[in-house]
Amino acid sequence: MIRLPKILIQVPGTSANLGPGFDLMGLALDLHNQFEFNFSKEITESKTELKNGKPLPFSEKEDLVHQSYLSYFKKFLPSVTPPPYHCKMSLSLPLKGGLGSSASAIVAGLSLAREVHKRLEPTSVPTEPEFTQYLAEFEGHPDNTLPAYLGGFVFAYSTFGERLRYFRKKFPSSVAIFVLTPEFHVSTEESRKTLPKSYATADVIFNLSRIGAWMHFLDKRKFGDLLVGLEDKMHTPYRIPKSSPLFPLAETFAKAGIGYCLSGSGPSLLVFLERKSVKTKQAELEKTVSLVMGEAKIPYSFKRVKPDGFGVRIQFK
């Protein structure tokens, strides 16, 4: 048996959709989940625990790190029994907060399996296109897993069994990003049920034009293009209806020329300001958020974040 090192994997959080890019666009953020994996001959079955000693916030069946780890071996190394590990996690991403906690677990599990594969049978390790294809297929759509793996802004698609296609860009430093995370959970599966089964042609064209505005923003770095690019008619109106506690904030942001979008299916929001206006607008922005969340009696966190340009980080000890 080959001796395996301690493997440390850090995966950034992600925000998917980014307004009009439903299941297509995602951005890595400098919020991270960390996973520490230990292997030894004394370990006979895999075990996952939190580094702080608290109980796991999910069941063994919901352990996506282990599920994806086993899945990799079934796909790429079926003749080998996956070596068991002990994993200690440090979680900074909220579960079901729309910030890619599930994607971070999948990226960690698949990345771990590939590192083990390199040491067991280095001649049969999948190519990078094969690995990223499987990474996209595991979750069903790549707008969370690809940014978590690659870092930066990623436009990616893989539909109807076709091969994965994507491109990656650096998010402009001229824009400041804030994350608002209300303390209530939204199930992605339940949230998708609120979406219509079909859309009006005009709404589809609207969203296509806004994706074009996103591309122009990434090229020219003008905040006005981002404000247009964040507009959406395919999922935001259904996930932030008038009955939502987030609706008053969305209206306020729109009137004040502040960019915002749901992070994934929510409830977290990304909020965007021109970096040069942060000093004059941040205090008012925080006051507005505090007022609306206070009236709704919803605890929340609100903080400034940066894009993560590195993606998954792997260390060995």
Side-chain angles (χ1 to χ4, degrees), residues 8-19:
L8 307 178
I9 299 180
Q10 178 175 280
V11 188
T14 52
S15 181
N17 300 328
L18 302 176

Side-chain angles (χ1 to χ4, degrees), residues 204-281:
V204 175
I205 293 172
F206 180 95
N207 270 45
L208 290 172
S209 70
R210 269 50 185 182
I211 291 176
W214 253 104
M215 299 305 121
H216 197 63
F217 159 69
L218 292 169
D219 182 34
K220 301 300 182 181
R221 301 168 184 254
K222 293 182 179 179
F223 190 70
D225 293 328
L226 176 62
L227 290 179
V228 175
L230 289 167
E231 295 174 345
D232 165 54
K233 287 192 176 183
M234 294 186 72
H235 81 105
T236 306
Y238 304 98
R239 288 171 164 169
I240 310 182
K242 290 184 178 181
S243 59
S244 168
L246 298 177
F247 186 80
L249 269 182
E251 277 199 319
T252 301
F253 290 159
K255 291 176 182 177
I258 296 171
Y260 77 94
C261 64
L262 269 173
S263 186
S265 59
S268 294
L269 292 178
L270 291 195
V271 184
F272 303 88
L273 290 177
E274 275 191 285
R275 196 172 73 172
K276 64 182 181 182
S277 70
V278 167
K279 288 184 178 180
T280 57
K281 290 188 176 182

Side-chain angles (χ1 to χ4, degrees), residues 132-206:
T132 52
Q133 180 76 43
Y134 191 64
L135 185 63
E137 290 172 352
F138 189 93
E139 195 182 31
H141 42 83
D143 53 337
N144 266 317
T145 50
L146 263 290
Y149 176 64
L150 298 168
F153 169 95
V154 177
F155 185 99
Y157 60 97
S158 177
T159 57
F160 307 112
E162 65 184 356
R163 71 177 178 86
L164 173 69
R165 292 175 172 84
Y166 67 87
F167 66 83
R168 175 178 175 272
K169 285 184 173 289
K170 181 180 179 181
F171 188 85
S173 59
S174 58
V175 174
I177 306 174
F178 298 83
V179 174
L180 166 65
T181 302
E183 290 187 15
F184 62 86
H185 291 165
V186 172
S187 162
T188 300
E189 183 179 352
E190 290 302 315
S191 182
R192 280 184 178 263
K193 292 178 181 178
T194 68
L195 304 179
K197 294 182 179 180
S198 61
Y199 293 92
T201 301
D203 288 346
V204 175
I205 293 172
F206 180 95

Side-chain angles (χ1 to χ4, degrees), residues 90-116:
S90 298
L91 304 180
S92 296
L93 304 175
L95 293 178
K96 299 181 181 179
L99 290 170
S101 61
S102 296
S104 76
I106 293 168
V107 170
L110 294 181
S111 297
L112 172 70
R114 183 170 60 167
E115 293 303 325
V116 173

Side-chain angles (χ1 to χ4, degrees), residues 1-7 36-48 60 63 65-66 69-70 73 80-88 112-113 116-117 120:
M1 177 68 180
I2 296 175
R3 184 178 180 275
L4 296 169
K6 178 187 289 186
I7 301 177
E36 178 183 299
F37 299 95
N38 287 282
F39 297 88
S40 74
K41 61 182 180 181
E42 289 79 23
I43 297 175
T44 57
E45 61 179 26
S46 292
K47 178 183 177 181
T48 301
E60 185 177 327
D63 186 350
V65 175
H66 195 227
Y69 178 74
L70 295 178
F73 277 84
V80 174
T81 300
Y85 61 76
H86 281 181
C87 173
K88 291 187 177 180
L112 172 70
V116 173
H117 189 166
L120 297 180

